[in-house]
Amino acid sequence: KIVSVEKHPNADKLHVCKVDDGGVAKNVERDANGYVQIVCGAPDVQKDWLVGWLAPGASVPGFYEQEVFTLQAKELRGEISYGMMGTPKELGVSNDESGLLVIDSREFNDEVKPGMLFAELLQLNDVIIEVENKMFTHRPDCFGILGVARELAGIQDLAFASPEWYVKKPEFESLEKNRLAAELRNEATSLAPRVMLVPMDGVKVGPSPLWMQSCLSRVGIRPINNIVDITNYVMYLTAQPMHAFDYDKLAAHSKEGVVLGPRMAQEGEQLTLLGSKQVTLSKDDIVLATDQVAVDIAGVMGGEATEVDEDTKAILLTCCSFDMYTVRRMTMRHGIFTDAATRNTKGQPPAQIDRVLAYAMRLMNEFAHAQQAGDVQDDYKKPIEPHYIEVTSKFINERLGSKLTDEKIVEMLKNVEFEAHVASGPISVTPPFWRTDIEIPEDIVEEVGRLYGFNRLPLSLPKRDITPVQPDPLLVLKNDIRQYLAQAGANEILSYSFVHGDLIKKAGQDPKRAFAIRNALSPDLQYYRISLLPSLLDKVRPNIKAGYDEFTLFEIGKTHQKYPDDKPGDLPEEDNVLEMVYTSKESKQGAAYYHMLRQVDMLLTKLGIEYVLEKPEQSFLKEPKKRIQAELPFDVERTAYIRYKNTDQGGYIGCVGELESSVLNAFKLPEYTAAARLALDGASFQAENRSAEGSYKPLSKYP
């Protein structure tokens, strides 16, 4: 607590403050009253403020552009300052560094006392639970804190109880007179099964409560203001995205009063999103629009023209359900991946929307003084009615191999808020409204097995034929290659089959020769790679920076590329290849080419493949298609082509050599770098054609 503020005698922009820390800080000097002196540069610092104090010895991440800066007592213009008072950014609450973080004790029921640990005040000394479970990616409810908490309770055989506001259907107030008029128009009911909105006025935009800012920061969301923060907080709590529009800005973009609702976009329609990102819409996009213009990509991101800012006095609060497949296609089409889009692509249940909206209205009133200014409107054409499923314990136990009783099954289901009871024989189960994935008895079997624990089920191997399976020749070859290269000290990596176009260009290759991915998993995975080399080269520099001076990386995989004579509709050729990169931070004896060739020679010899080396020009002339297939960024003057010694088994094996200087520079690689490529589909790589000369032979017992 700041107990006094005086102007610094030797500086115009500094203040000398005395603070009461309850006497808890160590290694600081105190005055007769037990107060500590701090020099502060905040222009508006005031007496009686409660602030966060970083005492000497505290570490501040990112301070003064260093990774970690440890504070010390320091003299500033003749006055000693013991540590510093922190901004929200320095205290890890938000990115705001415009002034000190002032703590409002009313937010914490006036229980804030000088000397408390900041981490205890905001409950930062909690437990972080890391969950590695693929199920979460398919469960819409598990994208919210409530769903995850319920799931963790269920698998630990504990009963979970959702907040009353979430499970109880709300009753909205009907106003005698609407202060703000708003009309809901849903012109895309098949893709927007439920849309709700409500106007609210009396809004006072400002910072959200400190505890809410801390919660959002901990999950990677930057606090903005109380209106936006509440929508984000509710989304992370319930997994249901929602959006608040500036009511007056909507009115400026409407002709018939404030009108808003989903519709299909017009082909070529333009929309400027938050962050000034401009998109061109297609007729397959759903938008939220007034009677004049689109103002939001439905379920993905809001528009800049109607965003809430510090001048907002009234809002239109919306909460909607959209077709998850359409939202996913929109995110891929426009390359926009937001928290809201992630949740809407999982198919949030329409039945929760009224509950979420009611809770958000309550928070808006509490933290932004917003008042309901018009009736709550709800467009819900086909409400999903609760349905029950009948299943017997015999049906469940036969499929799980378990011996669970009716009572235990009912208990486990009730723990995660299913309605379940033993009817006259079977068990009657009614899933909660947020579990839209439960439809048939087999779904109940899976739910019971997961809650009980698949690891607790009895293990019994099924009966099967023990006749040995004929080994796959290609798998045998790959295993041999891995074993021989590992013996030579090489390291295998496994990288994505899809790469960015810039990576292809850096490797001296043409992206036009690669197959573009129409629905790429991310903007960084645009093309199917022509060769494995770009992925290998991209991993060299990070390993050098990690302290590895000399190493060989290799990868076995498939490549695809376009040929000039390809016809429309032709399936691409799929080549199995082995590619390798050798590098050394410091030059060794002999060229890098020979180090790479030595490993290639060792491999081919152990595989029993006889080969010869030729100049690249000769291979170009003999097999022009192979020249295209082997289009790699090698320096022609320092490269050799590898061919079969026995031409009856084929011609081309691969190539080994040093890379062009442009490629070395693009990837920031040492000059002492070489690479190799082997095509594994040739006849000589097949087991029946390999010579046995390369295999191990014991020395004679009788010299």
Side-chain angles (χ1 to χ4, degrees):
K1 181 177 182 179
I2 301 176
V3 294
S4 69
V5 178
E6 297 179 1
K7 189 176 178 305
H8 195 295
N10 304 317
D12 294 334
K13 297 183 179 180
L14 297 178
H15 295 86
V16 179
C17 305
K18 292 292 183 69
V19 297
D20 175 12
D21 69 326
V24 299
K26 308 297 182 183
N27 303 320
V28 294
E29 292 188 9
R30 302 178 180 276
D31 64 11
N33 297 315
Y35 300 147
V36 182
Q37 178 171 294
I38 303 173
V39 177
C40 176
D44 57 344
V45 60
Q46 297 180 23
K47 181 184 176 183
D48 294 331
W49 275 2
L50 286 168
V51 296
W53 174 36
L54 298 156
S59 296
V60 187
F63 195 58
Y64 291 155
E65 299 182 355
Q66 297 181 23
E67 290 187 5
V68 176
F69 181 83
T70 303
L71 293 173
Q72 303 293 340
K74 188 175 181 180
E75 183 178 315
L76 297 174
R77 296 286 184 92
E79 296 288 342
I80 294 292
S81 180
Y82 292 96
M84 57 183 280
M85 292 179 276
T87 64
K89 182 176 182 179
E90 289 158 348
L91 292 168
V93 174
S94 70
N95 288 332
D96 182 14
E97 51 185 346
S98 60
L100 297 180
L101 174 63
V102 182
I103 300 168
D104 187 348
S105 62
R106 292 172 296 181
E107 289 184 20
F108 304 94
N109 299 320
D110 294 321
E111 294 180 359
V112 185
K113 305 295 181 186
M116 289 182 66
L117 284 177
F118 190 72
E120 292 179 359
L121 178 68
L122 295 182
Q123 298 180 345
L124 298 176
N125 292 331
D126 57 1
V127 176
I128 296 176
I129 302 174
E130 294 188 16
V131 181
E132 180 70 24
N133 195 324
K134 197 68 176 175
M135 176 204 66
F136 278 16
T137 63
H138 304 294
R139 284 270 301 276
D141 58 310
C142 286
F143 278 78
I145 299 295
L146 280 179
V148 175
R150 184 186 299 111
E151 193 65 22
L152 292 176
I155 62 180
Q156 295 179 92
D157 213 19
L158 301 172
F160 183 83
S162 294
E164 184 179 356
W165 59 262
Y166 187 70
V167 294
K168 184 178 179 182
K169 192 172 180 62
E171 295 182 2
F172 294 101
E173 180 183 0
S174 181
L175 304 182
E176 295 182 3
K177 183 179 180 181
N178 292 339
R179 297 190 298 275
L180 297 177
E183 179 185 349
L184 169 58
R185 290 183 187 174
N186 189 352
E187 299 175 8
T189 52
S190 61
L191 299 179
R194 189 174 193 182
V195 181
M196 295 188 70
L197 60 78
V198 59
M200 305 187 78
D201 62 6
V203 172
K204 294 184 179 178
V205 177
S208 57
L210 186 59
W211 62 265
M212 185 179 291
Q213 292 185 51
S214 178
C215 287
L216 293 176
S217 297
R218 276 181 270 174
V219 294
I221 290 186
R222 179 172 60 90
I224 298 174
N225 57 50
N226 46 5
I227 302 297
V228 177
D229 291 355
I230 288 171
T231 60
N232 284 331
Y233 175 77
V234 172
M235 176 182 69
Y236 257 84
L237 187 64
T238 65
Q240 175 61 52
M242 58 192 316
H243 191 69
F245 296 89
D246 186 302
Y247 180 89
D248 296 316
K249 292 178 181 177
L250 278 177
H253 290 83
S254 300
K255 200 172 183 179
E256 305 171 14
V258 172
V259 177
L260 188 70
R263 66 165 170 81
M264 303 310 294
Q266 301 170 4
E267 191 68 38
E269 190 173 1
Q270 300 288 321
L271 176 60
T272 302
L273 301 174
L274 296 171
S276 301
K277 177 180 175 64
Q278 278 199 329
V279 293
T280 301
L281 303 171
S282 77
K283 57 182 177 56
D284 297 320
D285 293 331
I286 316 174
V287 294
L288 290 179
T290 68
D291 55 355
Q292 295 291 304
V293 295
V295 294
D296 179 285
I297 297 183
V300 179
M301 183 179 281
E304 188 177 66
T306 55
E307 71 173 318
V308 172
D309 57 30
E310 61 272 11
D311 298 322
T312 297
K313 299 295 185 291
I315 60 172
L316 189 67
L317 191 59
T318 62
C319 196
C320 315
S321 174
F322 300 107
D323 176 68
M324 63 181 184
Y325 303 108
T326 304
V327 174
R328 175 169 175 78
R329 284 191 287 268
M330 290 194 297
T331 61
M332 304 302 292
R333 188 181 303 122
H334 299 293
I336 303 172
F337 304 94
T338 60
D339 287 320
T342 298
R343 286 156 177 78
N344 280 317
T345 56
K346 305 304 173 184
Q348 294 301 325
Q352 76 175 355
I353 286 179
D354 53 349
R355 297 161 166 85
V356 172
L357 183 69
Y359 182 61
M361 290 172 64
R362 195 173 87 194
L363 294 180
M364 292 288 182
N365 176 259
E366 183 176 356
F367 300 118
H369 306 286
Q371 302 287 333
Q372 181 180 339
D375 289 337
V376 176
Q377 299 182 50
D378 186 359
D379 184 277
Y380 195 12
K381 293 291 192 295
K382 295 180 180 179
I384 300 175
E385 299 297 332
H387 66 285
Y388 71 91
I389 301 168
E390 289 190 342
V391 63
T392 64
S393 56
K394 181 175 181 291
F395 182 86
I396 294 173
N397 288 327
E398 282 179 348
R399 282 150 184 80
L400 295 179
S402 56
K403 297 180 181 179
L404 299 172
T405 63
D406 289 353
E407 291 73 19
K408 183 60 179 177
I409 292 171
V410 168
E411 178 190 351
M412 287 190 294
L413 292 172
K414 284 185 173 181
N415 282 346
V416 289
E417 302 185 283
F418 281 66
E419 292 182 15
H421 65 276
V422 179
S424 55
I427 303 172
S428 178
V429 181
T430 303
F433 63 82
W434 57 83
R435 290 301 302 273
T436 54
D437 58 317
I438 305 294
E439 297 179 346
I440 58 177
E442 283 75 9
D443 293 332
I444 303 298
V445 175
E446 183 181 4
E447 191 73 10
V448 170
R450 188 175 49 76
L451 293 172
Y452 179 70
F454 290 121
N455 59 309
R456 297 172 61 188
L457 297 177
L459 299 177
S460 58
L461 293 175
K463 294 181 180 179
R464 61 180 62 193
D465 188 1
I466 61 172
T467 305
V469 178
Q470 190 70 22
D472 185 309
L474 184 60
L475 290 178
V476 172
L477 172 63
K478 290 180 178 179
N479 286 333
D480 287 346
I481 291 173
R482 291 186 176 101
Q483 179 181 351
Y484 296 148
L485 289 178
Q487 290 172 1
N491 302 276
E492 184 180 13
I493 69 167
L494 183 64
S495 57
Y496 283 116
S497 300
F498 308 127
V499 295
H500 196 282
D502 291 344
L503 196 62
I504 295 178
K505 292 178 182 177
K506 286 169 68 175
Q509 299 172 342
D510 185 0
K512 293 181 180 178
R513 298 283 307 284
F515 288 94
I517 310 301
R518 182 175 295 174
N519 58 336
L521 297 173
S522 83
D524 292 331
L525 306 175
Q526 301 171 323
Y527 294 93
Y528 206 112
R529 56 189 174 184
I530 300 172
S531 69
L532 313 183
L533 197 59
S535 302
L536 285 165
L537 296 177
D538 195 42
K539 300 296 182 291
V540 172
R541 180 167 172 76
N543 279 288
I544 291 176
K545 292 177 68 176
Y548 299 100
D549 296 335
E550 183 184 16
F551 53 87
T552 298
L553 301 178
F554 74 92
E555 183 171 5
I556 303 172
K558 296 179 179 180
T559 62
H560 300 73
Q561 62 176 306
K562 299 177 182 178
Y563 295 113
D565 55 352
D566 284 347
K567 297 177 181 178
D570 285 354
L571 292 175
E573 291 189 14
E574 192 170 51
D575 301 313
N576 288 287
V577 297
L578 161 69
E579 298 193 23
M580 310 164 62
V581 173
Y582 164 80
T583 191
S584 175
K585 194 174 180 182
E586 299 179 359
S587 296
K588 305 290 182 181
Q589 184 176 3
Y593 162 85
Y594 293 106
H595 284 265
M596 188 80 267
L597 178 60
R598 182 174 59 183
Q599 297 185 54
V600 171
D601 175 73
M602 178 277 303
L603 175 64
L604 294 178
T605 302
K606 282 183 173 290
L607 290 174
I609 297 174
E610 298 179 338
Y611 70 94
V612 293
L613 299 177
E614 291 183 0
K615 293 182 179 180
E617 291 81 3
Q618 298 177 9
S619 296
F620 279 153
L621 294 173
K622 291 180 180 178
E623 296 184 53
K625 187 169 184 179
K626 291 299 183 184
R627 177 192 62 191
I628 295 174
Q629 184 184 35
E631 183 184 5
L632 295 171
F634 286 94
D635 184 343
V636 178
E637 300 298 327
R638 305 177 72 83
T639 297
Y641 269 62
I642 310 169
R643 301 178 63 80
Y644 295 115
K645 189 173 182 180
N646 183 358
T647 56
D648 293 338
Q649 295 178 350
Y652 173 87
I653 295 181
C655 56
V656 56
E658 299 183 13
L659 301 170
E660 295 175 352
S661 57
S662 60
V663 176
L664 297 178
N665 293 333
F667 286 96
K668 299 181 180 178
L669 305 180
E671 291 185 8
Y672 206 77
T673 299
R677 181 184 200 268
L678 299 179
L680 302 183
D681 296 318
S684 283
F685 278 96
Q686 298 175 12
E688 62 270 17
N689 291 331
R690 291 192 227 158
S691 165
E693 294 178 4
S695 58
Y696 169 75
K697 293 180 180 179
L699 294 174
S700 171
K701 294 182 181 179
Y702 312 103

